[in-house]
Each structure stands twice: as C-alpha cells, then as structure tokens.
Amino acid sequence: MAMPPRRSAGHDESDPQHASAETAIVGAGMAGLALARALAGNGRRVVVFDKGRGVGGRMSTRRDGPHAFDHGAQYFTARGPRFREQVQGWCDAGVAAEWRARFVALDGGRVGADPRPGPRFVGVPGMNEVLRELGRGLDVRFDLRVSALVRHEARWRLRSAEGDELGAFARVVVAVPAPQALPLLAQAPALVRRVAAAEFAPCIAMLLAFERPLEVPFDAAFVAHPPLRWLARDSGKPGRAPGERWVVHAGPEFSTQHLEDDPRALLPELFEAFGAAIGLELPPPLSIDAHRWRHALPTRVLSDGPAWDAGLGLGYCGDWCRDARVEAAHESGLELARLIDASG
Ligand SMILES: Cc1cc2nc3c(=O)[nH]c(=O)nc-3n(C[C@H](O)[C@H](O)[C@H](O)COP(=O)(O)OP(=O)(O)OC[C@H]3O[C@@H](n4cnc5c(N)ncnc54)[C@H](O)[C@@H]3O)c2cc1C
C-alpha cells in the first residue's frame, strides 16, 4: 500500500513527479538536507523522510512550554571555504548569525580563557532555522520512521516502522547516525562492514529557565570536570526571545553510565553539578527538563568518508563519515552528491 505523505516541508502534492521521485534520503538533518538540496539543484527528483516532527536532527530546537532551547548542537564553525560561503549566505538571509559571547573554560573553581577557535555561528531564532532554510521547497516528509529497505526488481522499497510501503526508488541514501544506519543497510554487507567502524557517545542535556539572569562572568563554558562538559546561556544567543535559559550537557562518561535511566531522574544531580561548576547557589528554576541524545557525537569516524554503491543505488553520509561537527555533516552530504552525480 502506498502511503500518502504526512506533514511535508513545502512540496506540491499535486505534482505527479513526486510519485516517481528517483532518490530517497532517510534523515532530514544537516547531511541529508545538504545532499537533497545539491541533488535537487542538479535536476534530480528527491524525497526526504524523517522520523521527527520537523527538520533538525541533532540541530533541533526544543520547546518546553514558552521556552525554546538548542538542546543538541550548540553552535557551528566554518573552516572550509565552501561551508564558509554557505554560512555567509545564511547570515545574509537572516537565518544564522555569529554568536559573540563570553566563552571560557571552567576547571574546578578556575575560569580560564576560551580554549577553542571561533568565530561561532548559530541558527536564528533557533538552531534548526538553517535546516528549515536548506529544506525550503524540497519534498520532506515527517513522522515517518523508515525501518527497512527491501530490494525488489532493481529498486529499493522503503517500509515504515508501521509496516507501510513508502515507495520504490532507484536510489536511496541513509543519512542517519551510524548505529541507526546499520539495520537499514542490511542488504548491503560491504557497506555494513564499513559503517560498523563508526562509534558514538551519548549526551544527557538539561534545559533550564530562570526568572532572573544568573550573575556569572561568562555566557558559555567548556567544563573540564565530570559530570558536565558544557553549559551555555541559550537565551543570550542572537535573535532569541527574552528570558534566562541555560543548556547544560553532561559528559560522555556520565551519559554512558546513565544511558538507560530516565533522564529526568538525573536532573537533581545535574542541577547540583551546574551550581557547583558556576559557583552559584541556584534559585529554583521556572522550568527544568532533560533530553537524552543516544547517538550524540561520533567518537570514532570513518577514514574513507561517505560511500556510494552505484550498482546497488545505495549509500550513506553523515557527520560520522568525517568529523563530529555540523560542517562535516554538511560536507559529507555534498561529497555524496558528487559521487552520485559522477555515477550517472
Ligand atoms: C548534544 C550535542 C551537542 C553538539 N554540539 C555541537 C557543536 O557545538 N558544534 C557542532 O558543530 N556540532 C555539534 N554537535 C554535532 C552536530 O549536531 C552533528 O554533527 C550534526 O547535526 C549531524 O548531522 P547529520 O545530518 O549527520 O545527523 P542528524 O542530525 O542526526 O540527522 C539524522 C536525521 O535522521 C533522522 N532519522 C534517524 N533514523 C531514522 C529513520 N529510521 N527513519 C527516518 N528518519 C530517521 C533523525 O530524526 C534525524 O533528523 C552536537 C550534537 C549533539 C547531540
């Protein structure tokens, strides 16, 4: 049974071409959308499926009542010329801006200098805005978890977690974190062997809103001591709604150790660690919530980048093919688009 598309990011459902899109991309994160845009720009018909309710993936912006948080990626840098140009385009379009803030290193009680190079950029008014921009006009279908790719008569049939048929495609790209890519690539053992080399660490995030600004001499900090790794005044990023909101990330050891716990049960411990790290007796928060990123950051990336098997019409891309960064995800998508175009 062919499923009607669910909520979609701006395609014309009366367009008969969508019934015969030749390329399906699983994953509407930075890698999948950069790929989709590049392929569509070269005249290919593409449809993107994502299990989420909107674009973003690990660059999502999450709402907790009236409060919005960048609870995954905190910022992005642009080291290569192509991504720099892309970021400049987003800044010109008003969907990204440089995040100029007081960045520090926190080590025990000591406040040290910013240990990493900038400039740093964020989506405006939320991190996911750059992905909205990237996905504009593309056929992106949400609330659809692809659970299987089945080879049938030289095409790939996509099946949803509910067992529905999502269509048959000449080409499929899996643009999801490596552990989630493995079951989808099951019919291509050579690809599975390569993807299995990638490893991820989890991250538990704590999202906090306060009535008044916290009086600290910084806006974001790389934290040297477990259980925390990072904390930032999310409301201080450019173009955010007024308020005092913080995002706190636990480090990989703590997050791994507590991966199967209810993340909300970890809030008292993380709240206490936050106060201790910034040296403040914290006031009761207006809101407090937690999020578990099961596959947050690749800790081991592939040495040979994204891959395309032209014979099978199957490939993969994602940050884990290059580096644990937004820019790497973007570049992996563009690299795969070149491989696909070169294969005809
Ligand atoms: C806590 C955290 C902090 C980070 N901080 C930074 C930072 O400060 N700077 C930086 O550069 N990077 C940071 N990153 C990394 C950055 O977010 C990633 O490198 C980048 O977003 C990866 O993009 P992607 O497209 O490869 O994957 P993703 O963003 O993971 O996109 C994959 C998409 O696939 C979808 N999906 C998965 N499985 C299925 C399925 N079966 N069917 C349908 N859809 C599916 C998901 O919903 C998701 O939308 C951080 C990440 C996390 C989690």
Side-chain angles (χ1 to χ4, degrees):
M1 181 180 73
M3 282 289 290
R6 302 194 193 178
R7 281 183 299 122
S8 180
H11 81 280
D12 175 3
E13 289 175 19
S14 63
D15 179 352
Q17 285 195 334
H18 288 288
S20 60
E22 61 184 17
T23 306
I25 299 172
V26 185
M30 179 56 85
L33 289 180
L35 168 68
R37 178 145 296 290
L39 292 179
N42 287 343
R44 293 187 187 271
R45 295 191 304 276
V46 181
V47 54
V48 187
F49 297 97
D50 200 288
K51 66 184 169 65
R53 278 175 294 163
V55 292
R58 282 173 279 154
M59 295 176 73
S60 295
T61 302
R62 171 164 156 165
R63 293 208 147 268
D64 183 12
H67 313 292
F69 300 89
D70 295 342
H71 62 317
Q74 296 296 290
Y75 61 81
F76 45 90
T77 50
R79 297 182 189 158
R82 200 176 29 216
F83 193 57
R84 272 207 296 274
E85 194 180 315
Q86 172 68 86
V87 171
Q88 186 59 53
W90 287 332
C91 291
D92 293 345
V95 298
E98 187 179 342
W99 183 22
R100 293 200 180 98
R102 296 167 297 169
F103 294 89
V104 298
L106 282 182
D107 191 349
R110 284 203 319 277
V111 180
D114 181 356
R116 299 197 190 173
R120 299 172 171 98
F121 298 88
V122 294
V124 174
M127 187 57 91
N128 63 353
E129 199 59 30
V130 291
L131 290 179
R132 263 197 242 276
E133 178 73 8
L134 211 48
R136 208 172 296 285
L138 296 175
D139 181 353
V140 188
R141 302 176 190 184
F142 299 112
D143 285 329
L144 290 169
R145 180 190 292 270
V146 178
S147 65
L149 310 181
V150 182
R151 192 84 176 137
H152 182 69
E153 292 176 355
R155 293 175 83 77
W156 289 104
R157 291 187 170 279
L158 268 59
R159 198 161 289 154
S160 77
E162 290 82 23
D164 297 313
E165 293 281 348
L166 301 175
F169 300 87
R171 301 179 182 83
V172 178
V173 174
V174 176
V176 308
Q180 295 169 327
L182 286 171
L184 299 179
L185 297 169
Q187 294 200 357
L191 295 184
V192 165
R193 273 194 297 279
R194 289 158 79 170
V195 171
E199 289 173 8
F200 272 75
C203 175
I204 310 285
M206 175 169 66
L207 320 173
L208 296 154
F210 295 98
E211 192 158 0
R212 281 184 237 295
L214 301 184
E215 302 281 338
V216 286
F218 48 80
D219 305 298
F222 300 91
V223 186
H225 283 295
L228 305 185
R229 177 177 61 189
W230 165 263
L231 47 93
R233 194 191 308 265
D234 200 56
S235 48
K237 291 178 176 177
R240 269 34 179 194
E244 179 73 357
R245 297 179 298 282
W246 286 76
V247 169
V248 177
H249 285 161
E253 304 82 8
F254 180 91
S255 301
T256 304
Q257 196 185 341
H258 294 284
L259 186 57
E260 302 308 333
D261 294 352
D262 174 354
R264 285 172 193 236
L266 306 169
L267 286 170
E269 190 175 347
L270 292 175
F271 190 74
E272 197 185 321
F274 177 42
I278 65 175
L280 274 191
E281 178 119 7
L282 291 171
L286 287 176
S287 82
I288 179 167
D289 205 354
H291 180 84
R292 170 180 43 213
W293 293 101
R294 187 172 286 279
H295 308 298
L297 288 166
T299 48
R300 187 160 165 225
V301 299
L302 302 192
S303 54
D304 47 2
W308 179 243
D309 183 325
L312 279 178
L314 185 64
Y316 55 77
C317 61
D319 60 345
W320 48 275
C321 298
R322 284 285 172 228
D323 194 5
R325 298 169 54 237
V326 167
E327 179 173 8
H330 183 267
E331 295 303 293
S332 81
L334 295 192
E335 205 176 328
L336 192 61
R338 279 195 301 279
L339 293 176
I340 293 174
D341 283 335
S343 74

